[in-house]
Amino acid sequence: MPYPPPPRTPSGPRRRSLLASAAGAALLMGCSADPDSGEGGDTPSATERARARAAEDGAGLLERYDAVLAVHPVLAERLRPLRAAVAAHTEAFGGATGAKAPSATASKSPSAAASKSPSAPSRPAVPATEKAALADLAAAERGLADRRAKALLDVPGELARLMASVAAAGAAHAYLLTEGAK
């Protein structure tokens, strides 16, 4: 007695697997699209707003460093590398770094630094002691690092990676500022 012929199975992929593959490919393309192309579901304007906010925050932190350096020029050697890193981060977000940091040979008295130019834009308030000024800078670095760490969840790809990196650097700066004061 001969065996019956095997049931006919279609060769190649089935319709369901093709549809699932197409849907999966579309999802992958949406997730890996260039963040600046506008194809990833996130609008370029939201990305640009996040980038501009990060640059603005970096410029504000630079102003804090400059204010501390103007009032406490003795800290220049210690703060100059941290300020340079903040300036580089600000530029990476597309911000301008403004004026250069005051030199170590700038006026050594806080009153002379404060009265240099009355028409200049107001600088952030700087504590009178060096230790308090360092603690204030550390708090500013820590706060900005925390805000950037939260904000990176809402931005796409490359900008999120940049924000994560800069937030980690800010946390390291805060640690260096607080540990060195001890």
Side-chain angles (χ1 to χ4, degrees):
M1 174 185 255
Y3 290 108
R8 178 160 160 83
T9 57
S11 62
R14 293 180 184 240
R15 187 180 331 168
R16 284 184 187 161
S17 60
L18 280 175
L19 288 174
S21 297
L27 283 173
L28 286 175
M29 290 299 292
C31 292
S32 64
D34 182 22
D36 295 328
S37 69
E39 295 175 4
D42 194 35
T43 62
S45 61
T47 301
E48 289 307 312
R49 281 194 308 268
R51 185 181 296 273
R53 174 62 190 219
E56 182 181 311
D57 288 344
L61 188 58
L62 278 175
E63 286 178 13
R64 281 189 173 283
Y65 271 94
D66 290 344
V68 169
L69 287 168
V71 174
H72 301 289
V74 174
L75 297 173
E77 185 177 328
R78 181 172 177 190
L79 295 181
R80 191 171 291 123
L82 299 177
R83 187 204 179 277
V86 171
H89 298 155
T90 302
E91 287 177 6
F93 287 119
T97 58
K100 301 292 181 206
S103 67
T105 61
S107 168
K108 298 219 185 288
S109 77
S111 60
S115 65
K116 256 186 174 178
S117 63
S119 64
S122 64
R123 291 184 181 256
V126 177
T129 67
E130 293 171 8
K131 187 174 182 175
L134 291 175
D136 187 50
L137 269 178
E141 284 272 15
R142 192 176 302 107
L144 183 54
D146 291 346
R147 284 193 309 276
R148 284 180 173 159
K150 287 177 186 171
L152 73 88
L153 299 173
D154 299 326
V155 295
E158 195 61 34
L159 182 56
R161 286 186 285 277
L162 177 61
M163 281 188 149
S165 175
V166 172
H173 289 181
Y175 173 79
L176 291 171
L177 289 165
T178 55
E179 288 303 308
K182 290 181 180 179

